[in-house]
Amino acid sequence: MPDIAERRRFLVFLIKPSHYDDDGYVIQWRRSALPSNSLACLYGIAKDAIESGALGDDVDAEIFAIDETNTRVRLEDIARQIAAAGGHGLVGFVGVQSNQFPRVMDVARPLRAAGVQVCIGGFHVSGCLAMLPETPDSLKEALDLGISLFAGEAEGRFADVLRDAAAGTLRPIYNYLDNLPNLDGATTPFLPKDKVGRSIGMISSFDAGRGCPFLCSFCTIINVQGRKSRYRTADDIERIVRANHANGVRYFFITDDNLARNRNWEAIFDRLIALREEGIHSRFVIQVDTMCHKIPRFVEKAAAAGVKRVFIGLENINPDSLNGAKKKQNHIADYREMLLAWRKVRCISYCGYILGFPNDTPESIVRDIKIIQRELPLDILQFSCLTPLPGSEDHAKMVAAGAAIDPDLNKFDLEHAVCDHPRMSRAEWQDAYHLAWRTYYTDEHMKTVIRRAAAGGPRADTVSFLMVMFWAASTLYNIYPLEAGLLRRKYRLDRRPSLPIENRFVFYPREAAKFVANHTKIAIKFAKIWWFMRGVLKDPNAKAYTDEALQSSDYDHMEIFQLSDSARAAGAKAKRIEERVHGAPADAAE
């Protein structure tokens, strides 16, 4: 009995934050679209540390995982629970991006005022400490409040943070940027089933590797996770999949920035194929580069392993813009063949496209999107503003040059123009961003994509659902689609402190009317697109449909190769390679 009486509780709250919309309300859904790999990693690491006795035999520790994109953060409840445990606890904000940092600080201030220990990690902290010669004001404020900062990766290190927190001796900064961990045999990322169930489709996530060998100037990954890639083994991936499968989870987002450059990709795919033969069927979303189709067997084995959706960073179709951003690994001559390769194995293609390169104008953006619609057989296109994210080379150079950058970090979400552009005002750039979404997601083009899918591509019903979802998020909610979900939730009191709390008799009627109006528009759009899709699928000639995008590359006539001198040179080079491989066409021989 004396031993039991002396035991103490220690509570760990791991929070993946959201951020504010343009009206100052937290972006939150009943079901969110994407899971948080950072939250899964930290939950697994914390659980492993506690179960291994990192806090001692006299401590009963409990871990609570909260993803704010689908769960409300109740500060009073957290503070009250930690107080009831004798003040023994830690609130850790995980995977915090720059656009989420203002929200984190708004939550952290009252927690610190209540005496709760707080630690913040993620790309904003790590990127700033990695790339800036001086600590920025955002981090200084956190340090002044007694908040600890964690830079780097938590495997093998987070146990130290937990021990310090249990002892009440958190250090101001934990910096492991120069000592990145080996991922071979690393702790399994994991979340309880009820947490995973709050995402659309019961999707979880894990990373098979970290780091990237490329030099894209707008990217933060190479400066936070390093340019030397580190990998999990096929055994690690099998352990992750089996643990989640036992938890009822069958769908995963593999968060590697570029799985095609993971040296263990084939062993991983072979293991996943073997698991499918054993009856463990999983589906995957992966991220790859535009050259992945040139790796022998990569696309075919990805599909056999259960990959259903693939994200590809096209970024732009103008070689001059790509070279200026140091994205020299992208070759526009390969875009169509790469997309056709994924289409052949019935994978849905998501392609990222950046707006705001130096030569961009509203007119050129619309022109380029129309070329993409006509000449490239991709399914989902998602747009972002070229943003100098803290931790990137672009941001470090702009800070050093004293360039004018918007001070509001909440806008660093890839949806807002936060710096000056040589050919557009910020307002014009912002308008061009919204125009891009409207230009791509027209009814006419949605129908074209559906026809292509029905002619031998990915599932037409899934493509239809995704296109309507992306249209609704960008058009009705003014939210980046990957931050969207099902059934938007707004809480009147969860508004940015710099904005006033609205009168309940104004807030609730307005939001109720907006909710009904938006869902009515979504229902009408979905019914329209779904009805069209059903008609296409019933057409006996649906498989015979073809258009310019579904043909093998015609380098002489593709407009994508007429955008600049570099583009024309790329087209000519691609044509020469094609002729060397397959022989010159008959008319050329004559």
Side-chain angles (χ1 to χ4, degrees):
M1 286 297 293
D3 290 340
I4 295 176
E6 292 174 4
R7 299 187 68 81
R8 61 192 179 95
R9 296 175 67 212
F10 185 78
L11 308 184
V12 181
F13 289 86
L14 300 175
I15 302 175
K16 172 59 180 177
S18 182
H19 75 116
Y20 299 111
D21 63 20
D22 288 343
D23 295 322
Y25 290 99
V26 176
I27 297 174
Q28 192 175 108
W29 308 84
R30 183 168 181 80
R31 292 287 183 270
S32 55
L34 285 182
S36 169
N37 183 58
S38 297
L39 188 59
C41 284
L42 264 293
Y43 185 90
I45 292 167
K47 184 173 181 287
D48 183 65
I50 289 169
E51 291 177 349
S52 65
L55 300 183
D57 296 332
D58 63 333
V59 177
D60 292 322
E62 300 174 61
I63 311 171
F64 303 89
I66 301 173
D67 186 339
E68 196 180 25
T69 64
N70 55 45
T71 305
R72 191 181 186 190
V73 176
R74 300 179 182 273
L75 299 179
E76 299 82 0
D77 290 350
I78 293 173
R80 183 168 53 251
Q81 290 182 63
I82 291 178
H88 303 300
L90 170 69
V91 174
F93 292 95
V94 307
V96 180
Q97 301 170 5
S98 295
N99 68 86
Q100 297 162 343
F101 201 82
R103 171 60 182 167
V104 166
M105 291 301 295
D106 291 340
V107 175
R109 290 187 194 97
L111 289 174
R112 287 299 299 137
V116 175
Q117 298 182 102
V118 175
C119 183
I120 302 174
F123 270 84
H124 183 70
V125 171
S126 297
C128 288
L129 294 181
M131 294 296 288
L132 298 179
E134 297 181 1
T135 305
D137 291 342
S138 58
L139 300 190
K140 286 180 180 177
E141 182 190 1
L143 292 169
D144 290 343
L145 288 173
I147 296 171
S148 293
L149 304 178
F150 188 99
E153 298 173 13
E155 284 84 359
R157 286 73 184 258
F158 195 58
D160 293 336
V161 177
L162 293 176
R163 276 190 289 265
D164 290 348
T169 58
L170 277 178
R171 303 201 302 264
I173 298 178
Y174 296 83
N175 191 337
Y176 298 103
L177 285 168
D178 294 329
N179 186 20
L180 297 174
N182 181 18
L183 294 184
D184 185 350
T187 304
T188 299
F190 184 81
L191 281 175
K193 184 176 181 178
D194 65 313
K195 305 301 180 184
V196 180
R198 294 177 181 175
S199 63
I200 299 174
M202 191 86 172
I203 182 171
S204 190
S205 63
F206 63 85
D207 48 14
R210 296 178 194 160
C212 181
F214 296 123
L215 291 169
C216 308
S217 64
F218 52 78
C219 182
T220 62
I221 288 175
I222 56 178
N223 302 312
V224 173
Q225 295 184 346
R227 291 192 57 228
K228 180 181 179 181
S229 297
R230 295 158 289 128
Y231 314 102
R232 298 186 194 270
T233 65
D235 289 340
D236 296 330
I237 302 306
E238 179 178 350
R239 186 173 65 251
I240 291 170
V241 171
R242 285 188 182 276
N244 280 276
H245 193 272
N247 199 35
V249 179
R250 312 281 195 273
Y251 192 12
F252 302 92
F253 175 31
I254 303 179
T255 62
D256 295 42
D257 193 55
N258 188 354
L259 186 60
R261 303 304 156 183
N262 186 317
R263 69 184 180 196
N264 295 333
W265 72 263
E266 190 160 25
I268 290 171
F269 285 161
D270 285 342
R271 188 67 58 87
L272 294 174
I273 293 169
L275 288 174
R276 293 178 74 83
E277 293 172 352
E278 186 182 318
I280 299 178
H281 294 270
S282 300
R283 295 176 295 151
F284 301 93
V285 181
I286 64 172
Q287 300 182 98
V288 296
D289 61 39
T290 60
M291 301 294 288
C292 61
H293 64 299
K294 292 184 177 294
I295 302 173
R297 304 177 302 282
F298 182 85
V299 172
E300 293 76 15
K301 284 200 172 185
V307 172
K308 301 299 181 183
R309 305 181 191 182
V310 57
F311 177 83
I312 306 151
L314 292 186
E315 316 310 8
N316 208 271
I317 60 172
N318 192 319
D320 295 335
S321 295
L322 295 170
N323 290 334
K326 297 185 178 179
K327 190 126 183 142
K328 297 181 180 180
Q329 68 271 21
N330 277 28
H331 303 291
I332 62 172
D334 296 308
Y335 282 3
R336 185 186 288 182
E337 295 305 321
M338 177 268 299
L339 291 165
L340 287 173
W342 286 110
R343 169 187 163 79
K344 184 177 180 181
V345 296
R346 305 198 69 188
C347 281
I348 296 175
S349 58
Y350 294 73
C351 294
Y353 198 85
I354 297 177
L355 310 173
F357 285 110
N359 290 328
D360 283 346
T361 64
E363 294 76 20
S364 71
I365 288 170
V366 170
R367 177 202 65 199
D368 293 353
I369 292 171
K370 290 184 179 297
I371 291 173
I372 290 171
Q373 289 174 319
R374 186 169 58 253
E375 298 189 354
L376 297 182
L378 59 86
D379 302 308
I380 305 298
L381 190 60
Q382 55 193 56
F383 302 97
S384 58
C385 293
L386 184 61
T387 304
L389 294 170
S392 68
E393 178 187 335
D394 287 349
H395 180 264
K397 285 183 175 180
M398 293 184 72
V399 170
I405 304 176
D406 197 308
D408 184 4
L409 288 173
N410 190 67
K411 294 180 180 179
F412 282 67
D413 54 6
L414 309 183
E415 303 170 59
H416 293 85
V418 298
C419 58
D420 294 332
H421 188 274
R423 305 186 68 180
M424 296 183 284
S425 67
R426 293 193 191 185
E428 290 172 332
W429 188 356
Q430 194 67 56
D431 289 343
Y433 169 79
H434 295 299
L435 178 61
W437 290 103
R438 294 195 303 271
T439 301
Y440 187 79
Y441 289 94
T442 62
D443 286 356
E444 180 183 1
H445 188 62
M446 288 187 193
K447 292 176 180 179
T448 297
V449 174
I450 291 169
R451 287 191 186 97
R452 291 172 182 167
R459 287 182 58 122
D461 55 352
T462 305
V463 170
S464 299
F465 171 79
L466 289 172
M467 295 200 79
V468 172
M469 180 179 172
F470 271 63
W471 165 83
S474 60
T475 304
L476 302 180
Y477 292 101
N478 194 26
I479 289 175
Y480 195 63
L482 295 185
E483 291 185 321
L486 293 178
L487 300 178
R488 175 74 194 273
R489 299 198 299 198
K490 280 188 182 181
Y491 293 96
R492 185 174 66 93
L493 300 181
D494 291 355
R495 198 179 195 194
R496 198 171 187 179
S498 58
L499 296 172
I501 299 297
E502 295 187 281
N503 184 293
R504 69 181 68 233
F505 297 109
V506 173
F507 176 83
Y508 291 112
R510 184 193 68 223
E511 293 303 319
K514 188 183 297 184
F515 182 90
V516 171
N518 283 344
H519 284 83
T520 299
K521 292 175 183 176
I522 293 171
I524 292 172
K525 175 72 75 172
F526 189 73
K528 183 177 181 179
I529 295 300
W530 190 264
W531 184 262
F532 174 80
M533 179 206 71
R534 297 299 298 170
V536 170
L537 293 179
K538 291 178 180 178
D539 184 351
N541 298 316
K543 295 289 185 182
Y545 174 82
T546 190
D547 59 25
E548 185 176 351
L550 299 182
Q551 306 301 313
S552 295
S553 298
D554 181 350
Y555 301 106
D556 285 330
H557 298 99
M558 288 177 67
E559 194 174 350
I560 196 173
F561 294 122
Q562 310 304 320
L563 296 176
S564 67
D565 291 340
S566 298
R568 283 187 284 274
K573 180 179 179 181
K575 183 180 179 181
R576 290 196 298 273
I577 294 173
E578 183 83 7
E579 290 175 351
R580 284 201 300 270
V581 173
H582 299 291
D587 58 349
E590 291 174 1

